[in-house]
Structures are given as C-alpha cells and as structure tokens.
Amino acid sequence: MDNIIWPNRPVLIVDFGAQYAQLIARRVREAHVYSEIVRPMSAQELMDFNPAAIIFSGGPESVYAANSVDIDTEVYDLGIPILGICYGAQLIARDLNGVVGKTEKGEYGRTEIHLGSSSKLLGSVLEGDNVWMSHRDHIVSMPPDFRTVAQSDHSPVAAFENDQKLLYGVQFHPEVAHTDHGQEIIKSFLFKVAGCSRNWTSTSVIETAIDQVRSQVGEEKVLCALSGGVDSAVAAALVNRAVGSNLTCVFVDTGLMRQGEAEEVEAAFTRDFKTEFIHINAKDRFFSRLKGVRDPEEKRKIIGELFIRIFEEVANEKVDVKYLVQGTLYPDVVESGPGNASVIKSHHNVGGLPDDMNFELVEPLRRLFKDEVRIVGSELGLSDEIVFRQPFPGPGLAVRIVGEVTPERVGIVRAADAIVLDEIRRAGLERELWQAFAVLADVRSVGVMGDERTYAYPIILRAVTSDDAMTADFARLPYDLLEKIASRVISEVDGVNRVAYDITSKPPGTIEWE
Ligand code: XMP
C-alpha cells in the first residue's frame, strides 16, 4: 500500500523535531492540499517526492547548538517554495547569511505583531494581530535581498520573505489556533505563493484508496476484524467498496463493549454493506477466563490473547483468505519515523493481532489523520454513532472496572457509562471532549436512599480534553451537568450509591484507570 500516487503533488513538512509537525500537516490538508511529513533529507531525496512546496517545522534546539539538525542547503536553489516556521525560519536565515542571535528573554504565548512592507504571505493578517510565539533565539538581521514583513516587541524579524527565491519565514506558529489568521497564512503560502490546487477532498481520498486496495488484492479474499471503533469500521467500509463480497468481517463480542455497540456495528455491516458478517458471541469465554483476576496487566493479557485465539479459529477456517485489513492511521506511520512511511510498525489496532498470522496487510487509512477518517466514514454512509464514537480501549470495559470483572460489574459500569454519554451528548459536549466515561471502583461506602442505609460501589466519572491522548486535562464540566449525571447514575443504576469526579490530568494520571 505504500507507493500511493495521490492525485496531487505533496507539500512536504520537514520535521526538525517539532511538537507541531503533525499539526502543520493537518492544517495543510484542511486546506485540501495533500501533505506528508518527512525527516530532514538531501535536496535530491526531497525532489524525489515531486513536492509542490516545502514547509520547515519548528524544532527544540538552537540553530547554533552542536546537535542542531540541518538541511541540505541545495534545497534553497531548487525553485520550490519554502516556508520556515520558528526553528525552520531561523535555519533559512542562518543558512543564507542572515544573523540569528540569542536573547535574554524568549517570547512565549500570545504576542502582538506589527506589519512592515506589503506581504504576499501575510495578506490576510491585520496590524496588531496576536500570534503564538514559542522561541528563545531570534532572527536579528535578514539575509541580503530578504524583506522583513512583520515585527514584534522581542522579534525584530517576526516574518520575512524573498519573492524571487520563493523563500518565506515566520518566527511564530501559524498552525496553532491561538494565532489570529494562522490558517490564512498557510493558505496564502499554498495558493498565492506555491499555486497548489485544492484536490485533497474526501472524494479523491476515497477513489484513490479504493483503486489502491483493488490493485493490491485483485480478486483475492480479505478478512477484517471489527472492533466497534471508527478506524476498523471505516477501513472495512472502504475495502468493501473496493472488493465487494470478497470481504468477510468478523466481530468478536467480548461482552466488554459499550451499550449498543455490538448491535450498531452489526446493523451497519449487515444492512448497508455487502459483506459476509460473522458475529461471534464469546462473552462466556471471556468472563470465565477473567474470573478472579484483579491485576490490570493480567486482564489486558488475557483479553488480548483470547481475542487472538478466537480470531485465529475463524481465520483457520477461511483457508482461501490472503489479506487482513488493519486500520493503521498516518500518526502511527509517522511515529515509526518521519519519512520512513514504508516501515510497517507492528501496530495492532484490533486486539493485538500477531504478525505471524501469514496474512498480507491491507491498510487503506495509512495516509489519513483521524479527522479525515471520520469524514471518509460519513461519506461512505456509516452512522454518526460509529463515526464520531469516542476512543475506546481494546480490552474494553474490563479496564474501567477496578478489581474483578464479572457480568454484574460490567452491567453496572456499562449502564453508568451510557448515562454519562447521554448527558454529555445532550449538553452538546461530546465532540469537545476526547473521552467521557464511567469507572467502577472496588471499594464500597455507606449511603442512605429513602429510609434505607446502603453500602454500595461508587462510580468515578472521567471526562478529559486532549489532542492526541499523550497528555490530557480533566474537563471543566459545569456543576449542574455533574449533578445531573450523578443523580441519574445513582437512581438508575442498581449497586451504585455515590459518584466522584476524577480531576487528575495526564500526566501524572492516565486517561483510563487501568
Ligand atoms: P491512557 O489510559 O494510557 O490511554 O492514558 C490513552 C488512550 O488510549 C486508549 N487506550 C487504548 N486503546 N487499546 C487501545 O486501542 C488499548 O489497550 C488501550 N488502552 C488505552 C485510551 O482509551 C485513551 O484514549
């Protein structure tokens, strides 16, 4: 799946170790231009991609640090438009004989900029706009023939350009939402400077992915394990469009799914898609293996291994199947090393399927970010319930139950979870939160309901905001919403008499409890 010829020339994001490289790539795609993240490489290697433009990302080092990452300076003579951001801008300035200096005080956070001479890049930016700065060094003077087009109090050169050489730089971060008109700056670079065309659309993504799958698998049979999550569902829907009834979907019901999840997936794939759908009810097998197990890692191991065993049982019956669908996404590919997109990371989306299953992988989402996967899923006709479902861990509700996992305790956490999501949806917050769910603790406390003393479990409510799950913050939910959730959970879910709200961020906590 790797030698994809997308319908347009890519914009390359050269990653100098920036936390924002993926964000830059997403912003470019939001402007309907295809982008790829690559490591710093030679000018010739960059040209092998036939790029329409190049963006240098920021980076953590000073351009004068002994271990600073450099770029092949021949890149400046290729005639390809280049935009340097932060470190990337400083690199252009340094390489072409400008001066980058150390400052006593860096610039961090929202900063006002003041415009200089007229600018192709900053055409939509207004005098006094706020931009997002995050740097220590700054550009003191421009290379010869370059113009300074913006300044700030601490950056004598906040933006520069050389229209003849098609080289541009901004000391600030246009990709960050806190920069006023940041996306307009990126668009000016793409369309006014580089003349890119807007042909990265969901239709072109789908058509290209379908062509790729068809040419990879031909008339062969394909197997797909559906997890209930959006990635495997969209991957299956795409492959189904490509190969029709040569696709078989397998859904292993572990008994650890969210409320309505198994039914929704089955309904989608039996009603709207032409595939053989194998639904395996394995609840009893999972519960019997989990009996008496309290250790989180042991739970994960048992669930992962049993899932594989069951999937193998199906796969072994399908002797004529050669291909296995995986919902690997672009961030997984990038994390295996930018520019190493051909290295298949042993990434397991569904229950940790092993590499030795003798299938060739079909990965139709390998070039897509999560938000693009959702757009493609909607366009392919999957329901909002599936497409906009919040992330869910492979081991399911088992890692949201502290202590032993029994059908009764899964019932409690599932019912509470459904109430949490229902109220979050009613409050219009579902898409603002990364995740919101219920956790069942393993302690009991005293309460009073009616005239009766109770001694029951608490539900812990967990709601977080996050961009990528690497870090997360607890969501500042309104008190009246917290109250509504707590009172519904206690009155509607048997066995619960108290609700607590987890206000730990990640780090030091994790999002899940186990
Ligand atoms: P933690 O708890 O590590 O979770 O902060 C980060 C994100 O990953 C999800 N998660 C998993 N996803 N298989 C998955 O596919 C897993 O085993 C797994 N464990 C955690 C979690 O829901 C959160 O979004």
Side-chain angles (χ1 to χ4, degrees), residues 300 349 391-395 400 434-435 469 506 510-514:
R300 281 177 173 271
N349 262 312
F392 189 59
R400 295 181 180 170
W434 178 264
Q435 274 167 304
K506 173 183 179 177
T510 52
I511 296 176
E512 303 290 345
W513 266 48
E514 292 195 337

Side-chain angles (χ1 to χ4, degrees), residues 308-493:
I308 291 164
R309 189 138 327 123
I310 292 171
F311 190 75
E312 269 173 345
E313 288 166 12
V314 181
N316 288 340
E317 284 171 19
K318 301 257 164 202
V319 283
D320 54 345
V321 173
K322 259 182 78 178
Y323 293 93
L324 180 68
V325 180
Q326 287 265 313
T328 313
L329 303 191
Y330 192 49
D332 305 321
V333 175
V334 171
E335 275 149 30
S336 72
N340 295 340
S342 57
V343 179
I344 295 174
K345 188 180 169 192
S346 52
H347 167 90
H348 302 301
N349 262 312
V350 185
L353 297 174
D355 297 332
D356 61 5
M357 282 186 81
N358 270 337
F359 290 117
E360 199 180 305
L361 294 182
V362 180
E363 299 179 297
L365 313 180
R366 221 178 136 64
R367 296 286 169 180
L368 304 187
F369 287 109
K370 191 93 175 181
D371 38 3
E372 294 173 319
V373 169
R374 293 201 156 107
I375 293 169
V376 166
S378 291
E379 184 121 343
L380 289 172
L382 291 170
S383 68
D384 280 4
E385 281 73 31
I386 292 177
V387 168
F388 291 100
R389 180 165 279 155
Q390 292 181 347
F392 189 59
L397 295 174
V399 292
R400 295 181 180 170
I401 294 174
V402 181
E404 191 182 3
V405 178
T406 62
E408 295 70 36
R409 303 194 80 213
V410 170
I412 293 176
V413 84
R414 179 184 287 133
D417 188 67
I419 293 170
V420 172
L421 256 189
D422 184 43
E423 289 301 331
I424 294 284
R425 272 190 195 133
R426 284 170 197 256
L429 293 174
E430 189 186 11
R431 294 189 195 176
E432 279 179 36
L433 301 177
W434 178 264
Q435 274 167 304
F437 55 87
V439 174
L440 180 60
D442 197 21
V443 291
R444 284 190 288 172
S445 73
V446 174
V448 56
M449 282 172 89
D451 290 334
E452 300 235 337
R453 175 187 183 276
T454 58
Y455 187 52
Y457 294 110
I459 280 291
I460 290 125
L461 171 61
R462 184 78 168 131
V464 296
T465 54
S466 175
D467 286 327
D468 53 10
M470 302 298 285
T471 60
D473 198 5
F474 79 89
R476 272 55 173 178
L477 296 182
Y479 279 165
D480 54 354
L481 176 59
L482 290 172
E483 185 183 5
K484 185 99 192 277
I485 291 172
S487 79
R488 274 194 63 191
V489 168
I490 292 165
S491 61
E492 294 175 33
V493 184

Side-chain angles (χ1 to χ4, degrees), residues 98-389:
V99 178
V100 178
K102 291 219 174 300
T103 40
E104 287 305 305
K105 212 167 139 227
E107 249 178 336
Y108 298 95
R110 277 203 179 83
T111 307
E112 229 176 71
I113 54 163
H114 305 289
L115 300 177
S117 57
S118 77
S119 157
K120 220 173 188 173
L121 194 65
L122 304 186
S124 320
V125 177
L126 303 176
E127 170 62 25
D129 263 5
N130 278 313
V131 297
W132 190 256
M133 290 283 193
S134 180
H135 66 107
R136 244 195 120 69
D137 291 357
H138 68 190
I139 301 165
V140 178
S141 65
M142 287 280 68
D145 307 328
F146 279 59
R147 289 182 305 123
T148 298
V149 292
Q151 301 182 316
S152 71
D153 285 352
H154 294 283
S155 291
V157 183
F160 63 76
E161 48 192 69
N162 180 325
D163 291 321
Q164 279 71 47
K165 291 190 172 149
L166 299 173
L167 300 177
Y168 299 78
V170 284
Q171 181 57 72
F172 55 87
H173 289 270
E175 72 277 21
V176 170
H178 307 299
T179 293
D180 297 335
H181 301 106
Q183 183 65 358
E184 277 82 356
I185 296 172
I186 289 173
K187 283 188 186 165
S188 294
F189 176 67
L190 297 175
F191 303 121
K192 290 197 188 138
V193 173
C196 294
S197 26
R198 291 174 175 80
N199 53 7
W200 180 250
T201 61
S202 51
T203 312
S204 72
V205 175
I206 291 170
E207 282 169 2
T208 312
I210 288 174
D211 285 349
Q212 292 288 331
V213 173
R214 280 194 186 134
S215 69
Q216 185 189 4
V217 310
E219 297 299 314
E220 299 288 343
K221 303 258 191 241
V222 188
L223 201 58
C224 178
L226 290 170
S227 68
V230 56
D231 302 342
S232 66
V234 175
L238 258 179
V239 173
N240 189 223
R241 277 277 175 98
V243 306
S245 56
N246 276 346
L247 173 70
T248 297
C249 288
V250 181
F251 179 70
V252 178
D253 190 346
T254 58
L256 304 167
M257 321 294 278
R258 286 167 284 192
Q259 188 157 290
E261 198 157 19
E263 294 79 5
E264 274 158 21
V265 173
E266 175 149 14
F269 280 86
T270 50
R271 185 190 54 218
D272 300 333
F273 294 90
K274 294 183 220 72
T275 73
E276 180 188 9
F277 186 90
I278 302 178
H279 181 150
I280 297 174
N281 182 348
K283 293 177 194 172
D284 293 345
R285 286 175 77 176
F286 279 89
F287 283 124
S288 94
R289 288 293 314 280
L290 287 168
K291 204 165 184 336
V293 178
R294 307 176 62 83
D295 179 70
E297 281 311 301
E298 209 184 329
K299 281 184 200 170
R300 281 177 173 271
K301 224 170 132 224
I302 288 171
I303 295 166
E305 281 174 7
L306 185 54
F307 186 94
I308 291 164
R309 189 138 327 123
I310 292 171
F311 190 75
E312 269 173 345
E313 288 166 12
V314 181
N316 288 340
E317 284 171 19
K318 301 257 164 202
V319 283
D320 54 345
V321 173
K322 259 182 78 178
Y323 293 93
L324 180 68
V325 180
Q326 287 265 313
T328 313
L329 303 191
Y330 192 49
D332 305 321
V333 175
V334 171
E335 275 149 30
S336 72
N340 295 340
S342 57
V343 179
I344 295 174
K345 188 180 169 192
S346 52
H347 167 90
H348 302 301
N349 262 312
V350 185
L353 297 174
D355 297 332
D356 61 5
M357 282 186 81
N358 270 337
F359 290 117
E360 199 180 305
L361 294 182
V362 180
E363 299 179 297
L365 313 180
R366 221 178 136 64
R367 296 286 169 180
L368 304 187
F369 287 109
K370 191 93 175 181
D371 38 3
E372 294 173 319
V373 169
R374 293 201 156 107
I375 293 169
V376 166
S378 291
E379 184 121 343
L380 289 172
L382 291 170
S383 68
D384 280 4
E385 281 73 31
I386 292 177
V387 168
F388 291 100
R389 180 165 279 155

Side-chain angles (χ1 to χ4, degrees), residues 25-83:
R26 278 170 51 199
R27 293 279 177 259
V28 172
R29 297 217 194 156
E30 278 165 23
H32 300 293
V33 176
Y34 180 58
S35 61
E36 277 199 45
I37 299 170
V38 297
R39 63 184 159 75
M41 51 179 62
S42 72
Q44 184 52 53
E45 285 172 301
L46 289 168
M47 285 307 277
D48 288 346
F49 286 85
N50 190 21
I54 298 174
I55 298 180
F56 292 173
S57 80
E61 299 297 338
S62 159
V63 290
Y64 292 117
N67 55 347
S68 73
V69 188
D70 294 331
I71 191 80
D72 177 358
T73 52
E74 280 183 26
V75 72
Y76 301 118
D77 299 320
L78 295 174
I80 304 284
I82 299 177
L83 169 64

